[in-house]
Amino acid sequence: MDSSNRIYYRSLWSCSPSKWGYLSFTCLYLLLLIVMIGATQEKTQTVEFDVRPGGMVHSFSHNMGEHRCSFTYASQGGTNEQWQMSVGLSEDEGLFSCSVWRPQGKSYLFFTQFKAEVTGAKIEYASAYSQAAIGGTRDVPLKNEEYIIGDTTVTHREGKFRSELSKLTVIARTRHDEL
C-alpha cells in the first residue's frame, strides 16, 4: 500500500463506527474515494521483467482483457536490467496504454533493435526515450527520425536509431468511434 492510500485509510479510521451515528460528509467522501482508487487500480497493471543482453531477440508481453502489449528487442553489453511494463485501459475503455521503461532511468545496454506492438487497438500516440525521468531528471526523447510509428507498432528505424533506449510509451484507440 503506498503512502497516499495509508493517509486515506488513516483518515477513514477516524470515521470509526462509533462516530457513524451522524455519518459525516467527510467520511462518505473518503469511503467513496477509496472505492474509486481501487476501481482505477484494476484498470492498470504493472509487471517487471528482465531485459537480457547477448544479441538474441527477446520478447515480453502482457495482456489486459482483449488487448495486448508486446516488447521485442535485441541488446548487447552489460548484464540483465530490470524493466517494467505497464498496461492500462481508460475508464470508458476507449484507450489502451502501454509503457515499457527502466525504472533506474538510463539503460546501459546497446539496443540493436526494438519493437513495441499493441493488439486490439490502433496507435494514436507513441514516443521513445533514451533516458527515463527519475529524481530531478526529465525524460530524454529520441529524435523522431530514430523510430517509426505504425498503426499497431513502434519500431527502430534501421540506420537512424542510435541504440539508446530506456522508455517507450504507446496510447492506442481500442475501438472506432462512429460520428
Side-chain angles (χ1 to χ4, degrees), residues 125-143:
Y125 167 84
S127 193
Y129 303 88
S130 62
Q131 181 173 319
I134 60 165
T137 65
R138 294 183 179 189
D139 287 338
V140 177
L142 296 183
K143 292 181 179 175

Side-chain angles (χ1 to χ4, degrees), residues 108-127:
Y108 295 98
L109 298 177
F110 180 88
F111 284 84
T112 55
Q113 67 183 57
F114 74 85
K115 176 171 77 171
E117 183 173 15
V118 295
T119 55
K122 183 178 177 183
I123 294 175
E124 295 266 320
Y125 167 84
S127 193

Side-chain angles (χ1 to χ4, degrees), residues 9 20 23 29 58 68 77 81 87 94 108 111 114 119 124 139 143 153 172 175:
Y9 284 111
W20 284 14
L23 193 61
Y29 175 76
H58 298 281
R68 176 186 199 103
E81 291 181 347
V87 294
Y108 295 98
F111 284 84
F114 74 85
T119 55
E124 295 266 320
D139 287 338
K143 292 181 179 175
T153 62
R175 60 180 176 265

Side-chain angles (χ1 to χ4, degrees), residues 31-105:
L31 185 59
L32 180 62
L33 190 58
I34 289 170
V35 169
M36 287 172 43
I37 289 170
T40 301
Q41 289 173 346
E42 291 176 16
K43 298 257 185 179
T44 302
Q45 298 172 358
T46 301
V47 291
E48 293 182 347
F49 67 100
D50 282 338
V51 169
R52 301 175 298 213
M56 296 181 60
V57 176
H58 298 281
S59 189
F60 181 82
S61 299
H62 193 68
N63 294 352
M64 177 165 277
E66 63 191 49
H67 309 291
R68 176 186 199 103
C69 180
S70 299
F71 176 59
T72 304
Y73 66 92
S75 66
Q76 293 282 356
T79 59
N80 290 1
E81 291 181 347
Q82 194 159 42
W83 282 50
Q84 293 183 344
M85 177 183 283
S86 184
V87 294
L89 277 172
S90 61
E91 193 171 309
D92 67 356
E93 298 188 3
L95 295 174
F96 175 65
S97 65
C98 173
S99 294
V100 178
W101 75 98
R102 182 162 194 255
Q104 290 79 12

